Amino acid sequence: MSLAKIEDRVLWLSTAMIHHANRVRPNPTGLKVGGHQASCASMVSIMTSLWFEQLRPGDRVSVKPHAAPVLHAINYLLGELDESHLTTLRAFGGLQSYPSRSKDPDSVDYSTGSVGIGATAPIWGAIARRYVDTTIGSAGGVGLNRSAGSALGRQYSLVGDAELDEGAVWEAILDTSVAELGEIVWIVDLNRQSLDRVVPNIAAGRLEAMFDAAGWQVITVKFGALLESLFNRPGGAQLRTRILDMSNPEYQRLLRCSAEEIRLRLPGDEAGADAVSSLIVALDDDTLIQAIRNLGGHDLDALRAAYAQIDDTRPTVIIAYTIKGRGLPTQGHPQNHSSLLTVEQYEQFADELGMDAENPWGVFEENSVEGQTCRDTAARLAREKFEFTTPPAVPADIGRTPTGTSTTQGALGRTLLDLTRQAPEAAKRVVTVSPDVSSSTNLAGWLNKVGVWSPNERRNWFADDAETIMHWREKPTGQHMELGIAETNLVGLMGELGATWSRWGQALFPIGVMYDPFVERALEPWSYGIYAGGQSILVGTPSGVTLAAEGGAHQSIKTPSIGLEQPGCVSYEPAFAIDTEWTLLSGIGRLGRPDGSSSYLRLSTRPVDQTLAEVPTDPAARERRRRQVVAGAYMLRRRDKPAITLVGMGAMITETLAASDRLADQGIAADVVCVTSPGLLFEAVRARDGLADGPSWILGQVFPAERAAPMVTVLDGHPHTLAFLAGINSVPGVALGVSNFGQVGTLDDLYRYHGIDTDSIVSAALDLVGRVFHRQNHES
């Protein structure tokens, strides 16, 4: 009985929080505040039973976004959230609209809010925890003991049934690595409603079959004790068949009916109708109404029995039938998704639950059974505090100067191998992740050295094949993870690998590689992972139209500006191997710490003569160059009294330098600036103008006002990425780049087609110099 009272109080508090935000708190703008009272109500029984009976300290829970007030209500009853926060839902600096690890004041295990991303996060969190445990050994063990002292525990996802429409969910479920994760438990809130409507088709059977086919244990909680007891009476079998065969909208309509209407509608007109009529005629009105609403997702005993069936050797999904808005005046209404109780309905609801509508934030009496249950639960769920371990130092410079011809993509693998020799402790924290493109992104050497991570060691049947170059050694101490071809899975895993420092105090250095055109496919979950506190390095390679032979579908255009615009992330597009090394090491050095950040490297397979980098031999000058590379740009070629500045980025630096030489042949002096990070340069401009905090010294070193000249910018990507640079010193500028879909062809063909070849750079420079000359003569 005490748990039922706690259940009612959780329902009341979550409803009251949303009511206060919309009906009580002053709202001068009149704009919608919002909230989801009905979506909260359908989860109250599930979450009450989970927190107050099932969870252990090592468990983690991802709460469906619209049930955030339920989480806050539970945390409030457990003494973890002060009453003052309950009036701040969706207010500036207050409780967030959806659960947030970084912004909410109470415990939130996983940030949720973007459909499908929060649901799958515990899958990647489970892998991250296992990885830390097997490679570093301090995340609490990977055993699945369910005793009170179990250090690991389960990873729960509380998911709305409409969220399962998101394809990213199934990409995660179907990945072959997931079937081994016995700590994964999903609870599906099957309320059969989406935002706009009652979902017409009965989806439970299809969902059960899909999870089963993926190797999951499937537990379905359909009915509560009252309905089950009726099924055992004469006519009960026909009643059960009638309810199971009924369409979702027809059943949902019964929830809005009086007892008299239920007696007319429930029997239907198929075989068995008379038996159903005979059964329900003997029920009083209240019992009949309660029976039609007695679904398993609101029956604490049924839920308890479902948890007891969980098989910890494989993932489990519990499909719990629920009612959207259960217990509220709006329950079962087809458009109740974001509807709010009126003041009159709210006051009536308070009377039904014995609450005070004017003073809604009451807790249980200290000496009550419910109060003791809350205290006991809080003590049971108390987690040990961890000490943050400062990550090992990462060198800024390996010390080698590349020669010959190589690519920035090739430099990725070489730098990681060099790191194992130069800084082995830091290298142990590196974990690379790939969606089946390890060999084509130059990670083969690294993979051969460190091995592939697997929870259990597996035999490499090709170890004795002399023609096999890439050695696939799977073991618990491996440092590379391979997923299927699903970029959303990759960035989801990266986000959780990059959050281990804040979960268990142990930092990892996750580096994920994918073909750059597919960064856009992974953009939302990658961005959301950064928002949630995951720090990682995303490497997009190969990139741009430089990937000529693969055709337009594999040529990225917009990704440079994505890197510029992404909060919490520093983006780089290096031109030379040494630039790749320096920016990668800098990015690794920013990982796994409270003030850290993510990075995005856009690399190329375009071969470049490394002597063009003209790396200084003097140690101080070399360090100055390195600092400039990491800060966003450096002067690669400096002329006396430049008439024009050519700015190149990444793969286009060869054409930019060639254009400078050809202009010099015509008596036109052209400085050449190599940009490595347009995002950092943009932030430097904002800092210089007083619009942001941060350093701006790089502008004075690379774009000094006394050397200001008309500017041509060029990159293998959209031209607007660098267009702002002409504004640093307010000079005339022309921005060259790629603004059309790519074509298949040779490199020369494509560069000429997009107007980024040497001829195009020279032509743009001559036009710009000519316009400036004519304007100056006209003004004089």
Side-chain angles (χ1 to χ4, degrees):
M1 187 64 180
S2 64
L3 196 59
K5 290 183 178 179
I6 292 173
E7 178 186 16
D8 285 345
R9 189 63 59 91
V10 171
L11 174 61
W12 166 255
L13 288 169
S14 60
T15 304
M17 272 186 262
I18 299 169
H19 179 82
H20 186 278
N22 289 273
R23 309 285 195 201
V24 179
R25 193 170 66 217
N27 183 7
T29 66
L31 295 174
K32 173 185 174 182
V33 176
H36 301 82
Q37 290 171 329
S39 293
C40 285
S42 68
M43 285 297 301
V44 165
S45 304
I46 292 171
M47 293 179 66
T48 301
S49 65
L50 188 61
W51 259 262
F52 288 88
E53 289 189 330
Q54 302 297 323
L55 291 184
R56 299 293 182 264
D59 296 344
R60 298 292 184 269
V61 187
S62 171
V63 177
K64 82 170 188 178
H66 293 158
V70 182
L71 175 62
H72 298 312
I74 290 173
N75 283 339
Y76 173 60
L77 292 178
L78 297 181
E80 195 181 320
L81 191 65
D82 188 77
E83 179 182 319
S84 61
H85 292 293
L86 302 184
T87 59
T88 68
L89 180 68
R90 299 192 172 209
F92 182 77
L95 297 176
Q96 299 300 295
S97 306
Y98 309 120
S100 172
R101 286 191 72 222
S102 57
K103 296 184 179 181
D104 275 319
D106 52 338
S107 290
V108 174
D109 291 332
Y110 290 99
S111 296
T112 60
S114 190
V115 172
I117 297 175
T120 59
I123 290 177
W124 316 123
I127 294 177
R129 184 164 197 168
R130 286 180 179 230
Y131 182 86
V132 169
D133 211 66
T134 56
T135 58
I136 300 175
S138 56
V142 297
L144 295 174
N145 173 23
R146 290 300 299 167
S147 66
S150 174
L152 177 67
R154 294 172 177 152
Q155 296 274 354
Y156 290 90
S157 286
L158 308 182
V159 185
D161 54 348
E163 192 165 10
L164 296 180
D165 291 342
E166 171 55 55
V169 167
W170 296 102
E171 288 185 358
I173 290 169
L174 293 173
D175 193 273
T176 55
S177 62
V178 175
E180 299 181 39
L181 303 177
E183 61 267 47
I184 296 294
V185 179
W186 283 26
I187 305 173
V188 178
D189 171 17
L190 192 75
N191 59 48
R192 301 167 305 284
Q193 283 186 244
S194 61
L195 190 149
D196 292 327
R197 60 173 182 163
V198 177
V199 178
N201 299 317
I202 301 172
R206 178 169 53 88
L207 294 176
E208 291 170 5
M210 292 169 71
F211 276 103
D212 180 68
W216 289 48
Q217 177 192 23
V218 180
I219 301 171
T220 304
V221 188
K222 292 182 178 179
F223 305 116
L226 176 55
L227 266 179
E228 290 288 0
S229 69
L230 294 180
F231 295 155
N232 291 323
R233 298 185 185 183
Q238 290 82 359
L239 175 61
R240 182 185 181 92
T241 300
R242 166 69 174 135
I243 292 176
L244 290 175
D245 290 346
M246 194 180 296
S247 71
N248 288 337
E250 183 181 5
Y251 183 83
Q252 206 83 355
R253 182 65 183 88
L254 291 176
L255 301 176
R256 309 285 299 169
C257 289
S258 65
E260 182 179 359
E261 291 174 310
I262 293 173
R263 294 183 197 280
L264 292 172
R265 292 171 178 262
L266 181 55
D269 53 11
E270 301 294 331
D274 291 342
V276 174
S277 295
S278 298
L279 172 59
I280 65 176
V281 73
L283 304 178
D284 62 74
D285 288 353
D286 183 62
T287 300
L288 180 58
I289 290 174
Q290 292 304 315
I292 206 66
R293 298 172 180 176
N294 186 225
L295 298 183
H298 302 300
D299 188 293
L300 298 174
D301 288 332
L303 289 167
R304 191 178 299 117
Y307 295 129
Q309 298 175 51
I310 294 174
D311 174 7
D312 283 320
T313 66
R314 57 177 174 154
T316 296
V317 59
I318 298 173
I319 300 176
Y321 282 60
T322 62
I323 297 170
K324 198 158 189 173
R326 191 257 186 178
L328 302 179
T330 57
Q331 68 179 335
H333 192 285
Q335 280 84 47
N336 68 4
H337 178 79
S338 56
S339 65
L340 300 168
L341 300 188
T342 65
V343 173
E344 294 76 16
Q345 288 175 324
Y346 178 74
E347 292 173 347
Q348 176 189 347
F349 184 54
D351 291 339
E352 291 175 0
L353 293 181
M355 300 302 299
D356 185 350
E358 298 299 321
N359 299 286
W361 315 123
V363 294
F364 294 108
E365 295 291 337
E366 187 173 345
N367 59 356
S368 67
V369 175
E370 295 76 25
Q372 185 61 48
T373 299
C374 290
R375 290 194 297 277
D376 290 346
T377 300
R380 168 170 50 82
L381 296 180
R383 296 171 178 170
E384 293 183 13
K385 295 189 179 298
F386 61 81
E387 291 188 10
F388 172 68
T389 302
T390 302
V394 178
D397 187 350
I398 298 297
R400 288 196 295 126
T401 301
T403 57
T405 299
S406 62
T407 70
T408 55
Q409 177 180 285
L412 169 67
R414 284 194 295 274
T415 301
L416 291 177
L417 288 173
D418 286 341
L419 190 64
T420 63
R421 294 183 285 268
Q422 186 87 358
E425 289 305 310
K428 286 179 183 178
R429 302 279 173 153
V430 173
V431 51
T432 55
V433 190
S434 167
D436 202 35
V437 292
S438 301
S439 57
S440 55
T441 54
N442 281 84
L443 285 183
W446 160 260
L447 189 150
N448 285 343
K449 183 174 182 62
V450 302
V452 178
W453 183 83
S454 173
N456 304 297
E457 188 154 357
R458 293 172 179 162
R459 181 172 178 177
N460 177 15
W461 290 97
F462 289 88
D464 57 351
D465 187 340
E467 294 183 8
T468 300
I469 299 175
M470 199 153 98
H471 303 296
W472 207 260
R473 294 178 292 114
E474 297 180 85
K475 53 186 180 178
T477 56
Q479 290 180 245
H480 175 78
M481 293 185 181
E482 191 88 0
L483 299 177
I485 305 176
E487 285 77 14
T488 54
N489 286 350
L490 177 123
V491 294
L493 177 55
M494 284 170 56
E496 291 306 318
L497 290 168
T500 58
W501 68 272
S502 61
R503 293 195 190 279
W504 307 296
Q506 294 291 349
L508 296 176
F509 301 152
I511 302 173
V513 296
M514 68 173 67
Y515 286 3
D516 196 63
F518 307 130
V519 166
E520 293 179 67
R521 182 183 298 174
L523 179 58
E524 187 202 0
W526 174 51
S527 178
Y528 204 87
I530 295 174
Y531 166 82
Q535 299 171 9
S536 61
I537 297 175
L538 176 61
V539 179
T541 183
S543 66
V545 301
T546 298
L547 195 58
E550 295 290 336
H554 276 57
Q555 296 172 11
S556 53
I557 298 170
K558 297 177 288 183
T559 48
S561 57
I562 287 173
L564 186 154
E565 296 158 6
Q566 176 61 49
C569 177
V570 178
S571 64
Y572 289 110
E573 184 165 348
F576 299 102
I578 191 69
D579 299 351
T580 305
E581 175 193 306
W582 288 338
T583 55
L584 179 62
L585 293 175
S586 175
I588 294 174
R590 283 192 292 270
L591 297 175
R593 56 192 71 240
D595 60 345
S597 70
S598 295
S599 298
Y600 164 46
L601 271 65
R602 188 174 188 256
L603 305 183
S604 174
T605 50
R606 200 274 175 88
V608 173
D609 179 2
Q610 298 302 303
T611 63
L612 296 175
E614 299 179 4
V615 180
T617 56
D618 178 78
R622 179 186 176 101
E623 173 59 15
R624 183 174 186 270
R625 165 73 71 84
R626 187 200 66 80
R627 291 181 66 248
Q628 290 177 338
V629 166
V630 170
Y634 57 97
M635 184 78 73
L636 183 55
R637 185 164 294 172
R638 185 184 180 96
R639 305 290 194 186
D640 291 334
K641 298 180 180 180
I644 195 161
T645 300
L646 304 182
V647 179
M649 186 168 79
M652 302 313 306
I653 200 64
T654 300
E655 280 67 30
T656 309
L657 289 169
S660 174
D661 291 338
R662 283 175 50 180
L663 289 169
D665 291 341
Q666 300 181 54
I668 300 174
D671 280 349
V672 175
V673 172
C674 182
V675 167
T676 54
S677 176
L680 288 178
L681 295 180
F682 186 75
E683 288 304 310
V685 171
R686 285 170 51 81
R688 183 197 65 179
D689 296 341
L691 300 174
D693 294 327
S696 60
W697 59 267
I698 189 66
L699 302 180
Q701 289 192 7
V702 181
F703 301 101
E706 65 273 14
R707 297 185 65 81
M711 181 180 293
V712 175
T713 62
V714 59
L715 74 154
D716 186 357
H718 200 282
H720 90 274
T721 308
L722 300 180
F724 74 94
L725 294 176
I728 292 175
N729 291 314
S730 300
V731 298
V734 172
L736 304 180
V738 180
S739 55
N740 296 316
F741 286 115
Q743 302 284 339
V744 70
T746 67
L747 214 57
D748 290 341
D749 290 337
L750 266 67
Y751 283 4
R752 190 180 309 110
Y753 171 75
H754 290 290
I756 55 176
D757 60 332
T758 302
D759 285 351
S760 297
I761 299 171
V762 170
S763 178
L766 292 174
D767 288 346
L768 196 53
V769 170
R771 289 205 306 268
V772 171
F773 176 79
H774 289 305
R775 183 182 305 149
Q776 290 173 343
N777 285 345
H778 178 75
E779 290 174 353
S780 61

